[in-house]
Every structure is written in C-alpha cells, then in structure tokens.
Amino acid sequence: MAAPIALPETFARAVAGLRSAAPRPEILLEEVGAPQRLAPYAFALSATVLRDGDEVATGRLILLHDPAGHEAWRGTLRLVTYVTAELEVDLAADPLLPGVGWTWLTDALEAQDARHRAIGGTITQTLSTRFGELAGPPAAGDIEIRASWTPLDDDLAPHLLAWCAMLASTAGLPPPGVTALPERRPAGA
C-alpha cells in the first residue's frame, strides 16, 4: 500500500477555505471529481440552485494549483467556473445581458473582498425554439458564464461566497433576507 501523498500547504489551505464557507440554503454544494490534466493539483465543487424547489441554475467551481506557478495565471492558484441558468426569453434576448452577467461575478468578488487578478471569461446567451419531434415547450433562453481568476491569497472562503452570490444572481434569487412577492395574476385569469 502506497503512503498517502502530502498535499502542498497552499493547496490544502485553499481547499479548506472552499469547504469552510456556508452558502445560502437555496444553493446545494457537492464535492465532485476535478479534471486531472489541467494542473498538478485540482479540487472541484458543483452547485445546484433551487427556487421554490425547482432547479434553476447549476455551476461548477474548480480550484487548480501548480506549485511552480503559471505565467498566464500570474500565480500558483486558479479558480475556474462554469455556470448555466434558464432565463425568460425576453431577458435572454436582452443585448445588455452579457455585461450584466459579468458584473454579477465582478461585483460579488468585490463585495466579498475576494482579492484577485488576471480575471477573464465569456458570457453566452442563447435562445432555443423547438421544432419537429422536439416541438412542444415554448421558446427557452439560457445564460452561460465561463470565467477564471487568480486569488491573491490561499483563503478561498470569500471566493466561494462570491461565487455563490453570482450563482444566486444568475438564478434570479432575491437578496438574502428579502422575500420575493408572488406574481400577480390579472383579474379573471
């Protein structure tokens, strides 16, 4: 039996920070297998966001660590995320959506004081209309956020909380402590 491999202290502290932060109750986190070829050390979480018991967004956050550093990362740690959510068609068609989606991430990082550098990413908005054998449901819209950034230290709890805030925004959850009003139906409906 092989001896356990000791993890670098930086990576171990970073993983501990990700595990220590508690998201709001609508966000369910689960540790999942991380990609093994992107860096010598990796850790991953998946998230499911529920609104009124329905899944409205999903995401994955991957921590990469290369003790030798990586020039493009400008550091030894890198956080990579992928988030997707269904949207109402009119919202998904809004040309301002990509910019708004990007601010969900950058504002959340700032609000949690999750210091970082070398941030980059893409926002994709899609509209789908089904035809033929797939016809049925009305048109649907989606947003996908793909991003990565380099944390400036190995305490990643603020980064996880910022990621969860971005997930909540993407899913259309009200801010913590605010109750969404029920939709009002027109008279006679």
Side-chain angles (χ1 to χ4, degrees):
M1 180 174 231
I5 298 173
L7 296 175
E9 271 187 57
T10 297
F11 181 70
R13 278 193 305 272
V15 169
L18 291 175
R19 286 177 172 156
S20 72
R24 56 192 287 178
E26 303 95 334
I27 300 174
L28 309 175
L29 297 179
E30 178 183 6
E31 291 183 24
V32 294
Q36 298 301 310
R37 295 189 176 138
L38 299 177
Y41 301 92
F43 175 80
L45 293 168
S46 73
T48 302
V49 183
L50 303 174
R51 186 175 55 225
D52 300 325
D54 294 326
E55 181 180 302
V56 292
T58 60
R60 184 170 283 214
L61 182 67
I62 302 167
L63 167 64
L64 303 173
H65 176 57
D66 187 340
H70 195 286
E71 186 177 332
W73 299 355
R74 295 178 29 211
T76 63
L77 295 171
R78 189 76 173 165
L79 288 167
V80 180
T81 187
Y82 171 77
V83 172
T84 184
E86 289 184 26
L87 299 174
E88 294 177 14
V89 172
D90 57 337
L91 183 59
D94 189 331
L96 300 177
L97 178 64
V100 171
W102 187 250
T103 63
W104 291 334
L105 173 60
T106 57
D107 288 356
L109 289 167
E110 184 178 325
Q112 292 295 328
D113 197 27
R115 297 177 335 114
H116 62 281
R117 67 172 150 237
I119 189 170
T122 61
I123 308 291
T124 304
Q125 62 194 107
T126 58
L127 292 173
S128 302
T129 304
R130 302 168 194 261
F131 296 96
E133 295 293 320
L134 296 177
D142 294 291
I143 184 171
E144 293 178 356
I145 300 172
R146 297 174 188 263
S148 62
W149 64 94
T150 299
L152 294 184
D153 59 45
D154 57 16
D155 177 10
L156 297 190
H159 294 268
L160 180 78
L161 293 173
W163 182 66
C164 288
M166 179 198 57
L167 278 163
S169 294
T170 305
L173 296 180
V178 174
T179 302
L181 295 174
E183 289 186 36
R184 187 172 177 189
R185 298 183 186 263

